[in-house]
Amino acid sequence: MSSPLLEVEGLRVAFGDAEPVVRDVSFTLTPGRVLALVGESGSGKSVSAMSVLGLLPPEARVTGSIRFRGSELVGATDDQLRAVRGAGIGVVFQEPMNSFTPVLSIGTQIAEAVTGHPTELDRAGVSARIDELLRAAGLTDPQRIRKAYPHELSGGQLQRAMIAMALAGDPVALIADEPTTALDVTVQAGILDLLRTLGRERDLAVLLITHDMGVVADVADELLVMRRGDPVEQGTVAEVFAHPTAEYTRALLDAVPSLEARAGLRGPAADVEAGTSTAQADVVDAGRPSRPLVAQLRDVDVRYARRGEPVVSGIDLELRAGETLGLVGESGSGKSTIGRALAGLVPVVAGSVEVDGSDLRTARGGRLRELRSRVGIVFQDPASSLNPRQTIGWSIAEPLLVHGTASAADRAERVRELLVAVQLDPSWAERFPHQLSGGQRQRVAVARALALRPALVIADEPTSALDVTVQAAVLDLLSDLQQDFGFGMLLISHDLAVVRQLADEVVVLHDGRVVERGTTDAVLDDPQQDYTRMLLAAAPVADPVRQAARREAWRAWEGVAS
């Protein structure tokens, strides 16, 4: 075993005169190994990691010991910390779109990282170094990438560019803060594979901050579980996953949505582990009573530009009351476009979009307004979809106000009913979004979507950025509300375990076209298309032994599907 590069002992962090938010945290980073800091939002993961490089606000008080290559960093000068930042320890931040400056090209920003450390490179040498870093991060077209601006790249490309920037100073350690949050399963698998490869080839020590236990099982060697600032369990991934001793660790593992069949393990998961195959399940459950249609798409094409190929083509979907249709696929496959088509928010150039029996394409005036009121939308990021300057009561009541369907007293009563329905205190109507946690804000978003008693709810990645326990609570809430209110739901998600938990039927999209459809068990247990098999193999499971086998299966299917 190599000597530790970073040794953290008895770390405590407080802000101002308040009680410490991190207490007595200790861990070490070793070359070639990955340590995962695991816990929910507010557990102190990021605070602990950012304290290593002195990246906390000025009011932060850090005590304990942080030694990098034997040198103490607690109380170090700015010059001493600058010598470690980048050249000793690189950082991959959680949201690259927010971390990159939007008005500068990717190449310009990586150049700043390259020239920020002592270098003898001239301008041509810096450009060559940028291309080298982008290739090391798995980007095969570095000249195009370095000329591009952040908004011109996909989430996966941006994250790889962020990793390239973190490597600019040739660090010996890397801090990766939620590097795969909200990424598609295939993009996530690629990023994790890249981190694993970099750790092995460059002998990097990696500190991985995450709430995703599947990611931990896939890439980490050791883990430290934190809760409310305290370390609760520490050990190798194999030991902790097999025999967790802390109740909180067991709760985290139990909250992870399962990819396995509801009645037991079958299909691809079993195929990967046992090398067996199962018969295709019935695509249609003949024993299930047919429920009334709330919306349907018939041979729908959507095209944003006036000319060119449609971004989605030939889409046929049916959504029924009390049932959930899962729409899955990678970024750019057309999932959100179809959701917007159902809400009448994008130009449908062919086919019909029917809600409550009327076509949105031909409806006009009051009838179009009425049809739109029959559709509620839960957006992916509640922090950006709620008005920060208005109370949550106002946000929930806004649809009622826009459609003029209730008096002020009736709106207040409806807000109270909805807050109770989503399990929030009615008195919270006077609070503002920043005063709520991510899970609480998403509950508010669900309440707003239900304000007009819609026949159809479009849930667009409703849990992708939430902690695993919060995600489980929101999924249970959606399921319970659907039983109570009877709405049909279009669930747009790249998380197949979430789709397994909620959806009755699944439609798989690739490049704007349907490649597979059927009941959830049929599609997820015995897929017929290579693309679907690849999506399933890319989804990590919270079991390090099984995940190692699934990783190899993903690599094989990725080559076939591409």
Side-chain angles (χ1 to χ4, degrees), residues 154-217:
S154 68
Q157 290 172 328
L158 272 179
Q159 195 61 283
R160 288 177 183 271
M162 176 64 65
I163 292 172
M165 183 182 292
L167 298 175
D170 284 324
V172 294
L174 202 62
I175 297 174
D177 190 357
E178 299 279 8
T180 62
T181 295
L183 295 180
D184 292 340
V185 287
T186 52
V187 177
Q188 172 179 271
I191 296 295
L192 295 178
D193 205 43
L194 172 63
L195 289 174
R196 194 181 302 108
T197 300
L198 291 172
R200 182 178 63 252
E201 293 180 350
R202 296 173 177 243
D203 209 26
L204 280 173
V206 179
L207 179 62
L208 174 68
I209 304 167
T210 185
H211 64 261
D212 191 326
M213 301 302 278
V215 168
V216 174

Short mmCIF file of all heavy atoms in Angstrom, two decimals, residues 154-217:
data_model
loop_
_atom_site.label_atom_id
_atom_site.label_comp_id
_atom_site.label_asym_id
_atom_site.label_seq_id
_atom_site.Cartn_x
_atom_site.Cartn_y
_atom_site.Cartn_z
N SER A 154 -22.85 19.33 -24.50
CA SER A 154 -23.79 18.55 -23.68
C SER A 154 -23.27 18.49 -22.25
O SER A 154 -22.12 18.86 -21.95
CB SER A 154 -23.90 17.14 -24.24
OG SER A 154 -22.69 16.42 -24.06
N GLY A 155 -24.12 17.99 -21.35
CA GLY A 155 -23.71 17.87 -19.95
C GLY A 155 -22.50 16.97 -19.77
O GLY A 155 -21.59 17.28 -18.99
N GLY A 156 -22.47 15.85 -20.50
CA GLY A 156 -21.35 14.94 -20.40
C GLY A 156 -20.06 15.55 -20.93
O GLY A 156 -18.98 15.37 -20.35
N GLN A 157 -20.16 16.29 -22.04
CA GLN A 157 -18.97 16.94 -22.61
C GLN A 157 -18.45 18.02 -21.65
O GLN A 157 -17.24 18.16 -21.47
CB GLN A 157 -19.32 17.55 -23.97
CG GLN A 157 -19.55 16.53 -25.07
CD GLN A 157 -20.07 17.16 -26.34
OE1 GLN A 157 -20.79 18.16 -26.31
NE2 GLN A 157 -19.73 16.57 -27.49
N LEU A 158 -19.37 18.77 -21.05
CA LEU A 158 -18.96 19.80 -20.10
C LEU A 158 -18.25 19.19 -18.90
O LEU A 158 -17.25 19.72 -18.41
CB LEU A 158 -20.17 20.60 -19.63
CG LEU A 158 -20.57 21.82 -20.45
CD1 LEU A 158 -21.80 22.46 -19.84
CD2 LEU A 158 -19.44 22.83 -20.53
N GLN A 159 -18.78 18.06 -18.40
CA GLN A 159 -18.16 17.44 -17.25
C GLN A 159 -16.77 16.92 -17.59
O GLN A 159 -15.83 17.00 -16.79
CB GLN A 159 -19.04 16.30 -16.71
CG GLN A 159 -18.67 15.82 -15.32
CD GLN A 159 -18.79 16.91 -14.27
OE1 GLN A 159 -17.93 17.78 -14.17
NE2 GLN A 159 -19.86 16.86 -13.50
N ARG A 160 -16.60 16.39 -18.80
CA ARG A 160 -15.27 15.93 -19.24
C ARG A 160 -14.32 17.13 -19.39
O ARG A 160 -13.13 17.03 -19.05
CB ARG A 160 -15.38 15.15 -20.54
CG ARG A 160 -16.02 13.78 -20.38
CD ARG A 160 -16.18 13.06 -21.71
NE ARG A 160 -16.85 11.77 -21.55
CZ ARG A 160 -16.22 10.63 -21.32
NH1 ARG A 160 -14.90 10.61 -21.24
NH2 ARG A 160 -16.90 9.50 -21.18
N ALA A 161 -14.84 18.25 -19.88
CA ALA A 161 -14.00 19.44 -19.98
C ALA A 161 -13.60 19.94 -18.60
O ALA A 161 -12.47 20.42 -18.40
CB ALA A 161 -14.75 20.54 -20.74
N MET A 162 -14.50 19.80 -17.62
CA MET A 162 -14.17 20.18 -16.25
C MET A 162 -13.07 19.27 -15.70
O MET A 162 -12.15 19.72 -14.99
CB MET A 162 -15.43 20.09 -15.38
CG MET A 162 -15.19 20.36 -13.90
SD MET A 162 -14.64 22.05 -13.54
CE MET A 162 -16.08 22.97 -14.04
N ILE A 163 -13.13 17.98 -16.02
CA ILE A 163 -12.09 17.05 -15.59
C ILE A 163 -10.77 17.41 -16.26
O ILE A 163 -9.69 17.38 -15.63
CB ILE A 163 -12.50 15.60 -15.91
CG1 ILE A 163 -13.68 15.19 -15.02
CG2 ILE A 163 -11.33 14.63 -15.70
CD1 ILE A 163 -14.29 13.84 -15.38
N ALA A 164 -10.83 17.79 -17.55
CA ALA A 164 -9.61 18.22 -18.24
C ALA A 164 -8.99 19.42 -17.54
O ALA A 164 -7.76 19.49 -17.36
CB ALA A 164 -9.93 18.55 -19.70
N MET A 165 -9.81 20.38 -17.14
CA MET A 165 -9.30 21.55 -16.44
C MET A 165 -8.68 21.16 -15.10
O MET A 165 -7.63 21.70 -14.70
CB MET A 165 -10.42 22.56 -16.22
CG MET A 165 -9.97 23.86 -15.57
SD MET A 165 -11.32 25.01 -15.26
CE MET A 165 -11.77 25.45 -16.92
N ALA A 166 -9.30 20.21 -14.41
CA ALA A 166 -8.77 19.77 -13.12
C ALA A 166 -7.41 19.09 -13.26
O ALA A 166 -6.62 19.07 -12.32
CB ALA A 166 -9.76 18.82 -12.45
N LEU A 167 -7.15 18.52 -14.45
CA LEU A 167 -5.88 17.84 -14.69
C LEU A 167 -4.79 18.78 -15.19
O LEU A 167 -3.64 18.35 -15.40
CB LEU A 167 -6.08 16.72 -15.72
CG LEU A 167 -7.03 15.59 -15.34
CD1 LEU A 167 -7.21 14.63 -16.51
CD2 LEU A 167 -6.53 14.83 -14.11
N ALA A 168 -5.11 20.06 -15.40
CA ALA A 168 -4.18 20.99 -16.04
C ALA A 168 -2.87 21.12 -15.29
O ALA A 168 -1.81 21.32 -15.90
CB ALA A 168 -4.85 22.36 -16.22
N GLY A 169 -2.90 21.06 -13.96
CA GLY A 169 -1.68 21.21 -13.17
C GLY A 169 -0.99 19.91 -12.84
O GLY A 169 -0.11 19.89 -11.97
N ASP A 170 -1.38 18.82 -13.51
CA ASP A 170 -0.83 17.49 -13.22
C ASP A 170 -0.94 17.15 -11.74
O ASP A 170 0.07 16.85 -11.07
CB ASP A 170 0.63 17.38 -13.68
CG ASP A 170 0.74 17.24 -15.18
OD1 ASP A 170 -0.12 16.57 -15.78
OD2 ASP A 170 1.70 17.78 -15.76
N PRO A 171 -2.15 17.19 -11.18
CA PRO A 171 -2.30 16.91 -9.74
C PRO A 171 -2.04 15.44 -9.42
O PRO A 171 -2.11 14.58 -10.30
CB PRO A 171 -3.76 17.28 -9.47
CG PRO A 171 -4.45 17.01 -10.77
CD PRO A 171 -3.45 17.40 -11.83
N VAL A 172 -1.78 15.19 -8.15
CA VAL A 172 -1.62 13.81 -7.68
C VAL A 172 -2.89 13.33 -6.98
O VAL A 172 -3.02 12.15 -6.66
CB VAL A 172 -0.42 13.68 -6.73
CG1 VAL A 172 0.88 13.95 -7.48
CG2 VAL A 172 -0.56 14.63 -5.54
N ALA A 173 -3.82 14.25 -6.72
CA ALA A 173 -5.10 13.91 -6.10
C ALA A 173 -6.20 14.71 -6.76
O ALA A 173 -5.97 15.79 -7.31
CB ALA A 173 -5.06 14.18 -4.59
N LEU A 174 -7.41 14.18 -6.68
CA LEU A 174 -8.56 14.80 -7.34
C LEU A 174 -9.74 14.76 -6.39
O LEU A 174 -10.04 13.72 -5.80
CB LEU A 174 -8.89 14.03 -8.62
CG LEU A 174 -9.68 14.74 -9.73
CD1 LEU A 174 -8.90 15.93 -10.27
CD2 LEU A 174 -9.97 13.75 -10.85
N ILE A 175 -10.41 15.91 -6.23
CA ILE A 175 -11.68 15.97 -5.49
C ILE A 175 -12.79 16.09 -6.52
O ILE A 175 -12.83 17.06 -7.28
CB ILE A 175 -11.70 17.17 -4.53
CG1 ILE A 175 -10.61 17.03 -3.46
CG2 ILE A 175 -13.07 17.29 -3.86
CD1 ILE A 175 -10.48 18.24 -2.56
N ALA A 176 -13.68 15.12 -6.56
CA ALA A 176 -14.79 15.10 -7.52
C ALA A 176 -16.10 15.25 -6.74
O ALA A 176 -16.52 14.32 -6.06
CB ALA A 176 -14.78 13.81 -8.33
N ASP A 177 -16.71 16.43 -6.83
CA ASP A 177 -17.92 16.75 -6.06
C ASP A 177 -19.16 16.45 -6.90
O ASP A 177 -19.50 17.22 -7.80
CB ASP A 177 -17.88 18.22 -5.65
CG ASP A 177 -18.98 18.56 -4.64
OD1 ASP A 177 -19.79 17.67 -4.32
OD2 ASP A 177 -19.02 19.71 -4.17
N GLU A 178 -19.82 15.34 -6.60
CA GLU A 178 -21.03 14.92 -7.32
C GLU A 178 -20.82 15.02 -8.83
O GLU A 178 -21.57 15.71 -9.54
CB GLU A 178 -22.23 15.78 -6.91
CG GLU A 178 -22.60 15.69 -5.43
CD GLU A 178 -23.41 14.45 -5.09
OE1 GLU A 178 -23.57 13.58 -5.96
OE2 GLU A 178 -23.88 14.36 -3.94
N PRO A 179 -19.82 14.34 -9.40
CA PRO A 179 -19.48 14.55 -10.81
C PRO A 179 -20.49 14.00 -11.80
O PRO A 179 -20.40 14.30 -12.99
CB PRO A 179 -18.14 13.80 -10.95
CG PRO A 179 -18.21 12.72 -9.92
CD PRO A 179 -18.95 13.32 -8.77
N THR A 180 -21.47 13.19 -11.34
CA THR A 180 -22.42 12.60 -12.27
C THR A 180 -23.87 12.95 -11.97
O THR A 180 -24.78 12.37 -12.56
CB THR A 180 -22.29 11.05 -12.28
OG1 THR A 180 -22.59 10.54 -10.97
CG2 THR A 180 -20.89 10.63 -12.67
N THR A 181 -24.10 13.89 -11.05
CA THR A 181 -25.47 14.26 -10.71
C THR A 181 -26.23 14.76 -11.93
O THR A 181 -25.74 15.62 -12.66
CB THR A 181 -25.48 15.34 -9.61
OG1 THR A 181 -24.92 14.78 -8.42
CG2 THR A 181 -26.89 15.82 -9.32
N ALA A 182 -27.42 14.22 -12.15
CA ALA A 182 -28.34 14.63 -13.22
C ALA A 182 -27.87 14.23 -14.62
O ALA A 182 -28.45 14.65 -15.61
CB ALA A 182 -28.61 16.13 -13.17
N LEU A 183 -26.81 13.40 -14.73
CA LEU A 183 -26.38 12.93 -16.04
C LEU A 183 -27.11 11.65 -16.40
O LEU A 183 -27.49 10.86 -15.53
CB LEU A 183 -24.87 12.67 -16.05
CG LEU A 183 -23.95 13.89 -15.85
CD1 LEU A 183 -22.49 13.45 -15.89
CD2 LEU A 183 -24.21 14.96 -16.88
N ASP A 184 -27.30 11.43 -17.71
CA ASP A 184 -27.89 10.18 -18.17
C ASP A 184 -27.04 8.99 -17.74
O ASP A 184 -25.83 9.11 -17.53
CB ASP A 184 -27.99 10.17 -19.70
CG ASP A 184 -29.00 11.18 -20.20
OD1 ASP A 184 -29.84 11.60 -19.40
OD2 ASP A 184 -28.92 11.55 -21.38
N VAL A 185 -27.68 7.81 -17.65
CA VAL A 185 -26.95 6.64 -17.15
C VAL A 185 -25.75 6.30 -18.03
O VAL A 185 -24.69 5.92 -17.52
CB VAL A 185 -27.88 5.42 -17.04
CG1 VAL A 185 -28.82 5.56 -15.86
CG2 VAL A 185 -28.64 5.16 -18.32
N THR A 186 -25.88 6.46 -19.35
CA THR A 186 -24.75 6.12 -20.22
C THR A 186 -23.64 7.15 -20.09
O THR A 186 -22.45 6.80 -20.08
CB THR A 186 -25.21 6.02 -21.68
OG1 THR A 186 -25.93 7.22 -22.03
CG2 THR A 186 -26.11 4.83 -21.89
N VAL A 187 -24.00 8.43 -19.98
CA VAL A 187 -22.99 9.47 -19.78
C VAL A 187 -22.33 9.29 -18.42
O VAL A 187 -21.11 9.41 -18.27
CB VAL A 187 -23.62 10.87 -19.90
CG1 VAL A 187 -22.60 11.95 -19.62
CG2 VAL A 187 -24.25 11.06 -21.27
N GLN A 188 -23.14 8.99 -17.40
CA GLN A 188 -22.61 8.74 -16.07
C GLN A 188 -21.64 7.57 -16.08
O GLN A 188 -20.54 7.65 -15.50
CB GLN A 188 -23.75 8.43 -15.10
CG GLN A 188 -23.30 7.96 -13.73
CD GLN A 188 -24.46 7.70 -12.80
OE1 GLN A 188 -24.92 8.60 -12.10
NE2 GLN A 188 -24.96 6.48 -12.78
N ALA A 189 -22.00 6.50 -16.76
CA ALA A 189 -21.11 5.34 -16.84
C ALA A 189 -19.79 5.72 -17.49
O ALA A 189 -18.72 5.26 -17.07
CB ALA A 189 -21.79 4.21 -17.62
N GLY A 190 -19.84 6.57 -18.52
CA GLY A 190 -18.63 7.00 -19.19
C GLY A 190 -17.75 7.86 -18.29
O GLY A 190 -16.52 7.70 -18.28
N ILE A 191 -18.35 8.76 -17.51
CA ILE A 191 -17.59 9.62 -16.60
C ILE A 191 -16.94 8.77 -15.51
O ILE A 191 -15.76 8.97 -15.15
CB ILE A 191 -18.49 10.70 -15.98
CG1 ILE A 191 -19.02 11.65 -17.06
CG2 ILE A 191 -17.75 11.46 -14.89
CD1 ILE A 191 -17.96 12.48 -17.74
N LEU A 192 -17.69 7.83 -14.96
CA LEU A 192 -17.13 6.97 -13.92
C LEU A 192 -16.00 6.11 -14.47
O LEU A 192 -14.99 5.89 -13.79
CB LEU A 192 -18.24 6.08 -13.32
CG LEU A 192 -19.34 6.82 -12.56
CD1 LEU A 192 -20.39 5.84 -12.07
CD2 LEU A 192 -18.77 7.61 -11.39
N ASP A 193 -16.18 5.62 -15.69
CA ASP A 193 -15.12 4.84 -16.33
C ASP A 193 -13.87 5.70 -16.52
O ASP A 193 -12.74 5.23 -16.34
CB ASP A 193 -15.62 4.29 -17.67
CG ASP A 193 -14.88 3.04 -18.11
OD1 ASP A 193 -14.65 2.18 -17.25
OD2 ASP A 193 -14.53 2.94 -19.30
N LEU A 194 -14.08 6.98 -16.87
CA LEU A 194 -12.96 7.89 -17.04
C LEU A 194 -12.23 8.11 -15.71
O LEU A 194 -10.99 8.07 -15.66
CB LEU A 194 -13.46 9.22 -17.59
CG LEU A 194 -12.44 10.36 -17.66
CD1 LEU A 194 -11.30 10.00 -18.61
CD2 LEU A 194 -13.13 11.66 -18.09
N LEU A 195 -12.97 8.35 -14.63
CA LEU A 195 -12.34 8.55 -13.33
C LEU A 195 -11.55 7.32 -12.90
O LEU A 195 -10.44 7.42 -12.36
CB LEU A 195 -13.40 8.88 -12.27
CG LEU A 195 -14.06 10.26 -12.36
CD1 LEU A 195 -15.17 10.38 -11.34
CD2 LEU A 195 -13.02 11.36 -12.15
N ARG A 196 -12.12 6.15 -13.17
CA ARG A 196 -11.44 4.90 -12.83
C ARG A 196 -10.15 4.76 -13.63
O ARG A 196 -9.10 4.39 -13.10
CB ARG A 196 -12.39 3.72 -13.11
CG ARG A 196 -11.97 2.41 -12.51
CD ARG A 196 -12.97 1.32 -12.86
NE ARG A 196 -14.31 1.65 -12.41
CZ ARG A 196 -15.30 2.00 -13.21
NH1 ARG A 196 -15.10 2.07 -14.51
NH2 ARG A 196 -16.48 2.30 -12.73
N THR A 197 -10.22 5.08 -14.93
CA THR A 197 -9.05 4.97 -15.79
C THR A 197 -7.97 5.96 -15.39
O THR A 197 -6.78 5.62 -15.33
CB THR A 197 -9.46 5.20 -17.26
OG1 THR A 197 -10.42 4.23 -17.64
CG2 THR A 197 -8.26 5.10 -18.18
N LEU A 198 -8.37 7.21 -15.11
CA LEU A 198 -7.39 8.22 -14.70
C LEU A 198 -6.71 7.84 -13.39
O LEU A 198 -5.50 8.02 -13.23
CB LEU A 198 -8.08 9.58 -14.55
CG LEU A 198 -8.56 10.25 -15.84
CD1 LEU A 198 -9.40 11.48 -15.52
CD2 LEU A 198 -7.38 10.63 -16.72
N GLY A 199 -7.49 7.31 -12.46
CA GLY A 199 -6.91 6.90 -11.19
C GLY A 199 -5.87 5.80 -11.37
O GLY A 199 -4.82 5.80 -10.73
N ARG A 200 -6.18 4.88 -12.29
CA ARG A 200 -5.26 3.76 -12.52
C ARG A 200 -4.04 4.20 -13.31
O ARG A 200 -2.90 3.89 -12.94
CB ARG A 200 -6.00 2.65 -13.27
CG ARG A 200 -5.16 1.42 -13.55
CD ARG A 200 -5.97 0.34 -14.26
NE ARG A 200 -6.44 0.77 -15.57
CZ ARG A 200 -7.69 1.05 -15.86
NH1 ARG A 200 -8.62 0.96 -14.93
NH2 ARG A 200 -8.03 1.44 -17.09
N GLU A 201 -4.24 4.96 -14.40
CA GLU A 201 -3.12 5.32 -15.28
C GLU A 201 -2.22 6.39 -14.68
O GLU A 201 -1.01 6.39 -14.90
CB GLU A 201 -3.67 5.79 -16.63
CG GLU A 201 -4.37 4.69 -17.43
CD GLU A 201 -4.89 5.21 -18.75
OE1 GLU A 201 -4.89 6.44 -18.95
OE2 GLU A 201 -5.32 4.37 -19.58
N ARG A 202 -2.80 7.33 -13.92
CA ARG A 202 -2.02 8.43 -13.36
C ARG A 202 -1.72 8.24 -11.88
O ARG A 202 -1.11 9.10 -11.25
CB ARG A 202 -2.74 9.76 -13.58
CG ARG A 202 -2.91 10.13 -15.05
CD ARG A 202 -3.77 11.35 -15.22
NE ARG A 202 -3.87 11.74 -16.62
CZ ARG A 202 -3.42 12.89 -17.12
NH1 ARG A 202 -2.84 13.78 -16.33
NH2 ARG A 202 -3.55 13.15 -18.41
N ASP A 203 -2.19 7.12 -11.32
CA ASP A 203 -2.00 6.82 -9.90
C ASP A 203 -2.57 7.94 -9.03
O ASP A 203 -2.00 8.34 -8.02
CB ASP A 203 -0.52 6.61 -9.59
CG ASP A 203 -0.32 5.67 -8.40
OD1 ASP A 203 -1.21 4.83 -8.16
OD2 ASP A 203 0.72 5.76 -7.74
N LEU A 204 -3.73 8.48 -9.47
CA LEU A 204 -4.38 9.56 -8.74
C LEU A 204 -5.08 9.04 -7.49
O LEU A 204 -5.70 7.96 -7.50
CB LEU A 204 -5.43 10.23 -9.62
CG LEU A 204 -4.99 11.26 -10.66
CD1 LEU A 204 -6.17 11.65 -11.53
CD2 LEU A 204 -4.40 12.49 -9.99
N ALA A 205 -5.02 9.81 -6.45
CA ALA A 205 -5.88 9.58 -5.29
C ALA A 205 -7.14 10.40 -5.50
O ALA A 205 -7.07 11.60 -5.81
CB ALA A 205 -5.18 10.01 -4.01
N VAL A 206 -8.31 9.79 -5.38
CA VAL A 206 -9.57 10.47 -5.69
C VAL A 206 -10.46 10.52 -4.46
O VAL A 206 -10.68 9.49 -3.80
CB VAL A 206 -10.31 9.76 -6.84
CG1 VAL A 206 -11.63 10.47 -7.14
CG2 VAL A 206 -9.44 9.72 -8.10
N LEU A 207 -10.96 11.72 -4.15
CA LEU A 207 -11.98 11.90 -3.12
C LEU A 207 -13.29 12.17 -3.85
O LEU A 207 -13.47 13.22 -4.47
CB LEU A 207 -11.63 13.06 -2.19
CG LEU A 207 -12.64 13.37 -1.09
CD1 LEU A 207 -12.79 12.19 -0.14
CD2 LEU A 207 -12.22 14.62 -0.30
N LEU A 208 -14.21 11.22 -3.80
CA LEU A 208 -15.48 11.30 -4.52
C LEU A 208 -16.59 11.66 -3.55
O LEU A 208 -16.83 10.94 -2.57
CB LEU A 208 -15.78 9.95 -5.19
CG LEU A 208 -17.13 9.80 -5.87
CD1 LEU A 208 -17.23 10.70 -7.09
CD2 LEU A 208 -17.39 8.34 -6.26
N ILE A 209 -17.27 12.77 -3.82
CA ILE A 209 -18.40 13.20 -2.99
C ILE A 209 -19.68 12.83 -3.72
O ILE A 209 -19.89 13.24 -4.87
CB ILE A 209 -18.35 14.72 -2.75
CG1 ILE A 209 -17.03 15.12 -2.12
CG2 ILE A 209 -19.52 15.16 -1.88
CD1 ILE A 209 -16.79 16.60 -2.14
N THR A 210 -20.54 12.06 -3.10
CA THR A 210 -21.74 11.61 -3.79
C THR A 210 -22.81 11.18 -2.79
O THR A 210 -22.51 10.86 -1.63
CB THR A 210 -21.42 10.44 -4.73
OG1 THR A 210 -22.60 10.08 -5.47
CG2 THR A 210 -20.95 9.21 -3.98
N HIS A 211 -24.06 11.19 -3.25
CA HIS A 211 -25.15 10.60 -2.47
C HIS A 211 -25.66 9.33 -3.14
O HIS A 211 -26.58 8.69 -2.62
CB HIS A 211 -26.31 11.61 -2.32
CG HIS A 211 -26.96 11.99 -3.62
ND1 HIS A 211 -26.66 13.15 -4.28
CD2 HIS A 211 -27.87 11.36 -4.38
CE1 HIS A 211 -27.37 13.22 -5.38
NE2 HIS A 211 -28.11 12.14 -5.48
N ASP A 212 -25.07 8.96 -4.28
CA ASP A 212 -25.54 7.84 -5.08
C ASP A 212 -24.77 6.58 -4.69
O ASP A 212 -23.59 6.43 -5.01
CB ASP A 212 -25.35 8.15 -6.56
CG ASP A 212 -26.04 7.15 -7.47
OD1 ASP A 212 -26.11 5.96 -7.11
OD2 ASP A 212 -26.50 7.56 -8.55
N MET A 213 -25.44 5.66 -4.03
CA MET A 213 -24.77 4.44 -3.57
C MET A 213 -24.39 3.52 -4.74
O MET A 213 -23.46 2.73 -4.63
CB MET A 213 -25.67 3.69 -2.58
CG MET A 213 -26.05 4.50 -1.35
SD MET A 213 -24.63 5.10 -0.41
CE MET A 213 -24.24 3.65 0.57
N GLY A 214 -25.09 3.62 -5.86
CA GLY A 214 -24.71 2.86 -7.04
C GLY A 214 -23.37 3.34 -7.59
O GLY A 214 -22.54 2.53 -8.02
N VAL A 215 -23.17 4.67 -7.57
CA VAL A 215 -21.89 5.23 -8.01
C VAL A 215 -20.77 4.77 -7.08
O VAL A 215 -19.67 4.42 -7.53
CB VAL A 215 -21.98 6.77 -8.05
CG1 VAL A 215 -20.60 7.39 -8.21
CG2 VAL A 215 -22.90 7.22 -9.18
N VAL A 216 -21.03 4.75 -5.79
CA VAL A 216 -20.04 4.28 -4.82
C VAL A 216 -19.65 2.83 -5.11
O VAL A 216 -18.47 2.47 -5.15
CB VAL A 216 -20.57 4.42 -3.38
CG1 VAL A 216 -19.59 3.80 -2.38
CG2 VAL A 216 -20.82 5.87 -3.04
N ALA A 217 -20.66 1.99 -5.34
CA ALA A 217 -20.40 0.59 -5.63
C ALA A 217 -19.60 0.41 -6.91
O ALA A 217 -18.81 -0.52 -7.05
CB ALA A 217 -21.72 -0.18 -5.72
#
